[in-house]
Amino acid sequence: MSNLDIQTEPLFLRITKKPSFRKDKIVFFAVEVQPETWSKVDNKTHYIIELLANDHAAYDELDSGAICRIVPETLLEKQVTINDSSYNRRFVTTTNFTLVRSTGSLIIKLLANSNKFKSIGERKAARLWERFGEKLYSILDQGEIDELVKVLSLPIAESLIEAWELYAHTDALLFCSKLKLTASQSFRITRYYKGDTKAKIEDDPYRLLAFNISFEKCDEIATKQYGIPYDDHRRLAATVEEALYQILNSNSVVSDHDTLRKKIETFIPEDELVTLALQGGYENNNYVLLANGNYQSNGSYLMETFIANRFRYLLNTPIQLELSDSNISEIISTYESKNELCLTASQKEAVLNVAHNRLYIINGGAGVGKTTVLDCIYHVFDDAGITSVQVALAAKAAKKMTEATGREASTIARFIKRFNRKDINPDKLVLVIDESSMVDLLSMYKLLSFLPENVRLIIIGDDGQLPPVGYGLILHELLKVPDIQSTTLTEVKRQGKESNIPAVTQDIRNGIVPLLDFPDITFINSNSRKKVLQDVLSVYQEDVHNTQIICATRKMADAINEQCSSLNESKKLLAYNEYYDAFEFTGFRLSDKVMCTANLYDLDVLNASIGEIVDCYKETKEVELEINDNKKMISSFGQIKWDDGVVTEITDDLLDNLSHAYAMTIHKSQGSQFPTVIIPVFQAKYMDRTMLYTAITRAQKRVVLIGSEILFNNAISTVHSDERKADLANKILGSIHDNIDRIATI
């Protein structure tokens, strides 16, 4: 690294990567730009700036795209070589800094990230801000297309103006920006309050809680900007609202008195003020007080009540099927003969009962034949002229459902978005909800709100598996209601009779600590983190192509992925880095086992899909892909072959949502099957029976548990979902719904 002569002339730089804030300095990447045009001076020179400053708050506008003026105080240069090309990295230290043009981060992120503004990505939005600055707001308000076409094509400019007229409220957005709210928060607030945004927030800043803004941020705005006193009635009411939100974040939708009071005391420790807060919340309809003394937020109360009323309606509405029991029995016999199998008594009971109920639950553990029952039921409905529609919460679960039944399935969200409600004839359609243990309160509310009230529902699930990631409980609550007809299947069909996995998983499901000294399910004691990682790696290497490591925590999965990937010395996967105008190592290599971590429908790749990198290109290839029936040229860095045999290109979007998959979390493993499963049982504070059960039931032939027997035994005796509080079952039964002390007015 060489010293260069210190420049006394100022440098104008555009920040290319969001700064990192350290104890006494701010560090960011930048390129030099012309002060008149803001165009890049040199593609081969890149700056790393150390801005010596203790007051980080003064630099809130520092972000990718901001332009600053600095006078270097130290200047060092290092030449680096990437793919045979040389680049200069200049390391600058300074205290002489001026922000020439801010990022305009609010409007850039608003235009780039909202699906309301189609064809405007972050780069286009940043270019608009670079060209027009604050004037961009008035250009959009006035609909000045002639100005926008200096940066955008005419169709995109026209589309942007049209969208802005429908969705944006400039004065309100600028007001929110001054409150240091994010783009997404600002957009939600202004879409709701529109022109009244400023007046509503000034009247009660704690209204922002409803837009997922932290109590601390609301408190800061209320006390520092508007001088609202500590014991103001608005603040007291907000503490109750925030306490209920926190309880909701723990996935419970109701709270007992003691739990709620303790939450409120974290904001106002004085007993008399806590009492005033609860009383004020009651008088102002901020929550619902249930007859049993529990508290419920207005939102979750309304959703549970709506769902309960729908289910009660289905239970009380008779159904007419144009098939007799003898007809159904004939269909079952034909199905058995055709598929060379014999349904159990419970499976036949489920098929018969589903046909005669508008609402039915099929519950049971892994491998008990739920899909077989479902397939047979579809044949019954086909004969009756009834269309079966399949949905699941997760895209991967929907895909597995399609593969298992040979009929199309979709996520709940896609079904609502793509299905035309007017086309639904409740008497000629049955909706099947698979993997229902994963379905949370909000998802079920959205689904039932979309469907006609008397549509048939079949709910498939396993109450022994993990509860929903979101708040509330659906399947577990429905199983508490005796009036809802259900069948619980218990006979395992997936493994052969010689397998010990079904018996072990059934013991765990029932809370019994099983023996683990079988050839196909074993436990290896390892009492240190280092030893666990060593043993996991050793067992994994016995059969890497048929083995999946499943972890209780993301931290453990990351550590194992780091170990496994470090053993791969194959060809590197390189991708273009716009900051350095060069290709850099992505962290992935040829033959790496990888997972997609988002639903990328354009590429037909779903969240939790697992694959292997099968090609790493020497340089970027431009490939033609068909996206939404349109052909499009996209840059690709290599190829991945997924577990379903499909090969896709590695694009920027895919690379941004790619992780190693030698190990995965238990949540990500739901809906999948693997020949051999390794489960680390170590340093997992929240591991419980449902996590162990879900992980073990992913295995088809062999299970190896590695870690602490004490943790394993404690996990079997613990079910965290039991700590969740819900009220759906009570509302369906009517025991609480009919005796509410007071129904809140929203």
Side-chain angles (χ1 to χ4, degrees):
M1 189 175 292
S2 61
N3 286 290
L4 298 178
D5 293 335
I6 302 300
Q7 292 179 248
T8 56
E9 293 297 317
L11 282 173
F12 289 88
L13 303 172
R14 183 172 71 242
I15 297 173
T16 58
K17 190 174 183 181
K18 187 175 181 63
S20 61
F21 295 88
R22 300 175 187 174
K23 184 177 181 181
D24 58 352
K25 58 190 171 185
I26 300 166
V27 180
F28 58 87
F29 291 79
V31 293
E32 188 177 2
V33 295
Q34 298 283 359
E36 297 84 10
T37 62
W38 308 132
S39 59
K40 192 189 296 186
V41 172
D42 179 8
N43 286 329
K44 296 289 186 179
T45 302
H46 308 275
Y47 289 80
I48 299 174
I49 310 298
E50 284 193 351
L51 173 61
L52 304 179
N54 291 316
D55 183 12
H56 294 169
Y59 302 98
D60 284 342
E61 284 297 313
L62 289 185
D63 204 342
S64 178
I67 294 175
C68 58
R69 173 188 179 277
I70 70 166
V71 177
E73 294 169 8
T74 65
L75 181 58
L76 300 173
E77 184 169 80
K78 179 181 180 181
Q79 193 172 72
V80 295
T81 301
I82 301 175
N83 282 16
D84 300 325
S85 296
S86 295
Y87 298 87
N88 298 316
R89 289 181 180 171
R90 291 184 175 175
F91 297 81
V92 176
T93 302
T94 186
T95 55
N96 193 328
F97 171 92
T98 305
L99 186 64
V100 176
R101 173 171 284 180
S102 73
T103 62
S105 57
L106 178 76
I107 192 168
I108 289 173
K109 290 175 182 175
L110 174 65
L111 296 178
N113 299 331
S114 173
N115 59 13
K116 308 298 182 186
F117 303 105
K118 300 187 184 302
S119 301
I120 303 291
E122 193 151 335
R123 292 184 183 182
K124 284 191 180 76
R127 286 205 299 270
L128 286 168
W129 180 258
E130 282 188 26
R131 181 64 182 263
F132 302 115
E134 291 283 347
K135 188 182 175 184
L136 179 58
Y137 285 103
S138 62
I139 288 173
L140 293 171
D141 282 344
Q142 301 301 319
E144 298 177 19
I145 290 180
D146 289 345
E147 289 294 305
L148 294 180
V149 295
K150 294 175 181 177
V151 178
L152 307 174
S153 67
L154 180 60
I156 292 177
E158 290 174 339
S159 175
L160 175 56
I161 290 295
E162 182 181 355
W164 186 264
E165 290 174 351
L166 289 173
Y167 297 106
H169 303 273
T170 303
D171 290 341
L173 283 170
L174 287 171
F175 173 74
C176 290
S177 180
K178 290 175 182 177
L179 295 178
K180 303 296 184 185
L181 301 177
T182 68
S184 59
Q185 290 168 345
S186 301
F187 193 59
R188 290 199 305 271
I189 294 162
T190 56
R191 284 278 290 124
Y192 186 80
Y193 287 130
K194 300 180 181 177
D196 294 331
T197 298
K198 186 172 184 290
K200 289 290 187 181
I201 294 175
E202 287 180 339
D203 176 61
D204 185 358
Y206 296 101
R207 285 192 169 107
L208 296 174
L209 286 172
F211 300 94
N212 201 30
I213 295 170
S214 71
F215 182 85
E216 290 73 21
K217 179 66 177 177
C218 295
D219 222 17
E220 179 187 337
I221 293 170
T223 57
K224 292 184 178 179
Q225 294 195 229
Y226 298 112
I228 292 177
Y230 173 80
D231 59 352
D232 187 273
H233 70 92
R234 289 167 291 184
R235 186 178 188 277
L236 295 181
T239 63
V240 180
E241 186 178 355
E242 174 63 15
L244 286 169
Y245 280 142
Q246 289 188 7
I247 289 165
L248 200 64
N249 286 337
S250 70
N251 295 318
S252 289
V253 294
V254 298
S255 172
D256 59 58
H257 179 78
D258 289 343
T259 301
L260 181 60
R261 192 174 183 95
K262 286 177 183 176
K263 290 284 186 185
I264 297 171
E265 286 171 354
T266 62
F267 306 106
I268 43 174
E270 299 86 353
D271 284 345
E272 64 275 13
L273 289 182
V274 175
T275 301
L276 282 175
L278 286 168
Q279 183 179 344
Y282 181 86
E283 291 171 352
N284 291 302
N285 299 326
N286 288 346
Y287 59 81
V288 176
L289 182 62
L290 305 176
N292 61 2
N294 283 339
Y295 298 77
Q296 189 165 22
S297 66
N298 290 323
S300 59
Y301 170 78
L302 288 175
M303 285 190 283
E304 278 200 336
T305 300
F306 176 84
I307 293 169
N309 287 340
R310 276 297 184 89
F311 285 150
R312 292 173 70 188
Y313 178 84
L314 292 175
L315 291 174
N316 295 326
T317 303
I319 193 167
Q320 183 66 41
L321 189 71
E322 296 176 359
L323 294 172
S324 65
D325 284 357
S326 60
N327 292 142
I328 296 171
S329 295
E330 287 178 15
I331 295 170
I332 292 174
S333 296
T334 303
Y335 178 83
E336 290 176 318
S337 177
K338 182 179 178 181
N339 292 279
E340 298 181 348
L341 54 80
C342 185
L343 299 184
T344 66
S346 294
Q347 288 176 315
K348 290 178 181 178
E349 172 194 302
V351 175
L352 282 165
N353 289 342
V354 163
H356 297 304
N357 286 275
R358 286 195 181 273
L359 174 63
Y360 201 84
I361 300 172
I362 301 175
N363 183 43
V368 295
K370 296 190 293 291
T371 303
T372 300
V373 171
L374 200 55
D375 192 34
C376 186
I377 288 168
Y378 290 159
H379 283 73
V380 173
F381 284 132
D382 288 345
D383 271 34
I386 295 172
T387 301
S388 304
V389 176
Q390 306 180 127
V391 298
L393 182 68
K396 189 173 181 181
K399 183 178 180 181
K400 292 290 183 183
M401 201 178 189
T402 300
E403 293 169 353
T405 64
R407 298 170 186 245
E408 185 180 356
S410 67
T411 63
I412 291 174
R414 290 198 109 194
F415 168 73
I416 293 172
K417 184 177 181 180
R418 295 187 171 189
F419 217 92
N420 189 339
R421 191 177 189 275
K422 295 178 181 179
D423 293 337
I424 299 176
N425 179 349
D427 292 322
K428 294 295 181 182
L429 182 140
V430 58
L431 188 80
V432 181
I433 308 171
D434 197 21
E435 297 284 2
S436 61
S437 64
M438 300 169 65
V439 178
D440 57 88
L441 178 63
L442 180 60
S443 298
M444 182 60 81
Y445 172 75
K446 288 180 177 178
L447 179 61
L448 294 184
S449 297
F450 173 77
L451 293 168
E453 63 180 357
N454 58 335
V455 72
R456 302 168 190 248
L457 291 178
I458 303 175
I459 297 175
I460 316 289
D462 179 1
D463 64 331
Q465 285 200 32
L466 289 167
V469 173
Y471 55 82
L473 290 169
I474 299 298
L475 177 63
H476 301 72
E477 286 288 290
L478 296 181
L479 289 170
K480 294 178 183 178
V481 182
D483 292 338
I484 298 178
Q485 295 292 302
S486 66
T487 296
T488 297
L489 304 174
T490 57
E491 186 176 332
V492 177
K493 298 283 188 179
R494 182 176 295 159
Q495 287 93 357
K497 291 184 178 180
E498 70 283 355
S499 175
N500 296 288
I501 296 174
V504 169
T505 54
Q506 193 60 37
D507 279 348
I508 292 173
R509 201 173 192 272
N510 294 331
I512 300 169
V513 177
L515 293 174
L516 297 176
D517 57 355
F518 305 106
D520 56 350
I521 182 161
T522 56
F523 196 105
I524 298 174
N525 278 297
S526 293
N527 293 319
S528 72
R529 186 175 186 273
K530 182 178 180 181
K531 187 67 166 58
V532 168
L533 293 174
Q534 286 176 345
D535 289 341
V536 166
L537 197 59
S538 176
V539 176
Y540 179 74
Q541 288 177 309
E542 292 175 9
D543 188 5
V544 296
H545 297 294
N546 294 303
T547 303
Q548 180 62 51
I549 305 165
I550 300 178
C551 305
T553 65
R554 177 75 265 167
K555 186 176 180 181
M556 179 62 81
D558 288 343
I560 294 171
N561 278 323
E562 184 178 348
Q563 273 203 337
C564 292
S565 60
S566 68
L567 299 176
N568 184 1
E569 297 181 350
S570 301
K571 184 179 179 182
K572 293 179 179 180
L573 177 69
L574 302 176
Y576 179 72
N577 184 329
E578 64 181 20
Y579 302 131
Y580 297 113
D581 190 26
F583 285 88
E584 290 193 331
F585 181 39
T586 61
F588 299 102
R589 293 176 182 266
L590 188 67
S591 301
D592 262 343
K593 190 175 184 180
V594 292
M595 175 192 292
C596 180
T597 58
N599 290 322
L600 303 178
Y601 292 113
D602 287 349
L603 299 175
D604 198 25
V605 181
L606 303 178
N607 191 357
S609 294
I610 299 171
E612 178 184 339
I613 296 177
V614 293
D615 202 350
C616 299
Y617 300 149
K618 290 182 179 179
E619 57 185 32
T620 304
K621 280 188 180 181
E622 294 299 317
V623 295
E624 186 177 74
L625 298 182
E626 190 168 307
I627 298 176
N628 298 327
D629 298 326
N630 294 316
K631 290 184 178 179
K632 185 176 181 181
M633 297 301 294
I634 289 183
S635 297
S636 174
F637 312 115
Q639 289 185 327
I640 295 173
K641 184 176 182 179
W642 300 99
D643 49 7
D644 60 0
V646 174
V647 176
T648 59
E649 301 293 331
I650 304 176
T651 64
D652 273 321
D653 281 349
L654 181 52
L655 195 56
D656 287 343
N657 296 283
L658 205 62
S659 67
H660 286 104
Y662 300 99
M664 66 171 66
T665 63
I666 296 173
H667 280 94
K668 287 289 187 184
S669 75
Q670 281 185 287
S672 298
Q673 289 293 304
F674 311 97
T676 297
V677 165
I678 301 172
I679 307 167
V681 185
F682 193 74
Q683 293 180 337
K685 181 180 177 182
Y686 296 105
M687 179 176 277
D688 71 350
R689 184 189 308 165
T690 64
M691 296 182 82
L692 279 176
Y693 171 78
T694 302
I696 293 173
T697 54
R698 301 310 93 201
Q700 296 168 312
K701 296 180 179 179
R702 184 186 178 207
V703 178
V704 182
L705 296 112
I706 301 172
S708 165
E709 278 192 285
I710 294 174
L711 180 57
F712 178 77
N713 295 343
N714 289 341
I716 290 175
S717 64
T718 306
V719 181
H720 291 308
S721 62
D722 289 348
E723 299 170 8
R724 291 194 186 198
K725 291 185 172 64
D727 196 57
L728 180 60
N730 285 324
K731 287 182 174 68
I732 296 173
L733 292 166
S735 59
I736 290 183
H737 176 71
D738 295 335
N739 295 290
I740 294 294
D741 283 352
R742 177 192 54 81
I743 298 178
T745 302
I746 306 300

